Amino acid sequence: EESDTAFCFATLFDVEKYWVLNEHRIKDGPALIPGSGFIELAREAFAQVQGAEKPFEMADVVFELPFFVPDNAAKQLLVRLQQDRFTITSDSFGDESVHARGIVRTAKPLERRCDVARIAARCQRGVQRFDDPDHHPFLDFGVRWRVLQHVAYGEREALIRLEMPEQFADELNSFGLHPALL
């Protein structure tokens, strides 16, 4: 749906079709969209309206309610854009439930890039490795979510190494902000 100032996108989510759900679950419980999934949905809606090549920024993002989808069922999720605001809703909790909201807008292009080697040289205080794929106490993740390799700590900063499993590397072309890496 669209008007001159408002746009609404709808997706029917089911666990079998969307790995973002199927591989992101409460321990021994239902599937749910992660916060990074909401961010990607808002980014993609913005790209559809404004153009995929425009730089964007998000601000004041709030995650209000989880979006659970039971196995063998489908639920609709709506992403609304009105001017520079986005709202992600469903009827999950009766009336219209807000799952996430915030600002998404065109940004100025970056004037400089991070010097990763310089950051790495400052992050020598210690390294935390994540060899156990089941390290989270409350969530069960599928193989796509096993991206966190290690964190190198510095003084008031850290450098995180993420690595997409090779068999899913092609997905990086399908997402502006891959939910598992974000």
Side-chain angles (χ1 to χ4, degrees):
E1 301 174 9
E2 63 182 89
S3 70
D4 289 343
T5 60
F7 300 84
C8 182
F9 300 88
T11 299
L12 193 60
F13 280 94
D14 71 67
V15 174
E16 295 304 315
K17 185 175 179 185
Y18 292 98
W19 67 263
V20 172
L21 284 167
N22 196 26
E23 295 189 14
H24 189 268
R25 296 172 171 273
I26 300 293
K27 284 243 192 251
D28 302 318
L32 72 156
I33 290 185
S36 59
F38 291 136
I39 296 292
E40 171 59 6
L41 288 167
R43 185 221 52 87
E44 179 60 25
F46 178 81
Q48 291 294 321
V49 172
Q50 297 293 329
E53 300 305 316
K54 280 198 171 180
F56 71 96
E57 64 183 4
M58 291 185 170
D60 301 329
V61 176
V62 177
F63 302 110
E64 294 193 17
L65 290 170
F67 180 69
F68 296 106
V69 179
D71 291 336
N72 305 314
K75 289 173 65 175
Q76 182 172 294
L77 191 66
L78 303 174
V79 180
R80 290 188 175 89
L81 296 176
Q82 187 159 13
Q83 295 166 341
D84 67 351
R85 303 235 171 234
F86 75 87
T87 309
I88 300 176
T89 63
S90 76
D91 63 359
S92 291
F93 295 94
D95 292 339
E96 184 176 77
S97 300
V98 176
H99 299 284
R101 61 183 166 79
I103 296 170
V104 60
R105 60 186 169 222
T106 303
K108 296 177 185 171
L110 293 176
E111 295 179 12
R112 62 184 176 90
R113 299 235 180 240
C114 292
D115 185 341
V116 177
R118 188 178 250 166
I119 296 169
R122 292 192 307 260
C123 292
Q124 300 293 320
R125 291 181 169 252
V127 174
Q128 182 179 8
R129 300 201 181 281
F130 293 89
D131 301 323
D132 178 11
D134 298 320
H135 67 274
H136 200 283
F138 307 113
L139 296 173
D140 281 329
F141 294 106
V143 71
R144 282 179 181 85
W145 297 93
R146 296 177 183 162
V147 298
L148 182 57
Q149 302 299 306
H150 69 263
V151 179
Y153 296 97
E155 180 69 34
R156 299 181 58 188
E157 67 181 332
L159 184 61
I160 300 171
R161 176 159 173 91
L162 305 173
E163 187 175 313
M164 177 60 68
E166 183 66 33
Q167 68 264 39
F168 305 114
D170 287 346
E171 290 179 0
L172 298 175
N173 298 320
S174 302
F175 291 95
L177 297 169
H178 194 288
L181 288 172
L182 182 59

